[in-house]
Amino acid sequence: MAYIQDQIRRAREARNFTQGDLGKRIGQPQSSVSRIERGGDLRVSTLQEMARVLDLEPMLIPKRLVPAVRALIEHAADGGHSKVPAKSSPSLVGGVPEDADEESY
C-alpha cells in the first residue's frame, strides 16, 4: 500500500498542489490527505477521486506481473532509454513473433 501513497504524493507534488489544494479538489480536509500520504486508511472512492484529479489510472495487477509492469513504467519514464529486457525474457509488449515469416509483416 505504501506504493500507492507514494504515487499520490509524487503526482500531487508534480502538479505543485499542496495537501490542502488536493483536499479542496477532492472534498476532503488537508489533514485527510496528510493521513493518506502517511499510510492511513484509503477508501476506494477517495482513491478514485484523487486519481481523477491527479490524472492517474488506478488498476489491479496480478502480483506475478508487477515486476514486468514496473519495468515498463520505468522504461517509459526514462524515455525508452532504460535497459531492454534480456532476450530470454518474454516480450512485454506486442511485436513480431520470433518464428513469424518476415514477409507477412
Side-chain angles (χ1 to χ4, degrees):
M1 187 77 146
Y3 179 78
I4 292 172
Q5 286 104 352
D6 188 49
Q7 293 302 306
I8 290 169
R9 182 189 51 78
R10 286 180 186 204
R12 176 182 61 76
E13 290 173 349
R15 284 161 186 73
N16 294 316
F17 289 172
T18 64
Q19 289 177 341
D21 294 334
L22 179 56
K24 287 177 189 172
R25 293 177 191 313
I26 66 168
Q28 299 282 331
Q30 175 275 329
S31 59
S32 292
V33 175
S34 174
R35 180 183 44 76
I36 290 166
E37 288 185 0
R38 286 179 291 134
D41 287 338
L42 176 60
R43 292 177 176 236
V44 172
S45 59
T46 304
L47 175 61
Q48 289 174 318
E49 189 61 17
M50 288 178 140
R52 184 190 65 74
V53 168
L54 297 171
D55 197 29
L56 299 172
E57 184 64 36
M59 61 179 60
L60 296 173
I61 302 166
K63 282 186 178 185
R64 65 182 175 77
L65 296 177
V66 169
V69 171
R70 283 192 176 149
L72 284 171
I73 292 168
E74 289 171 12
H75 183 73
D78 190 29
H81 299 297
S82 59
K83 293 181 182 178
V84 177
K87 188 74 170 166
S88 62
S89 298
S91 176
L92 300 178
V93 294
V96 179
E98 292 179 7
D99 60 348
D101 229 357
E102 288 187 25
E103 294 175 11
S104 65
Y105 287 91

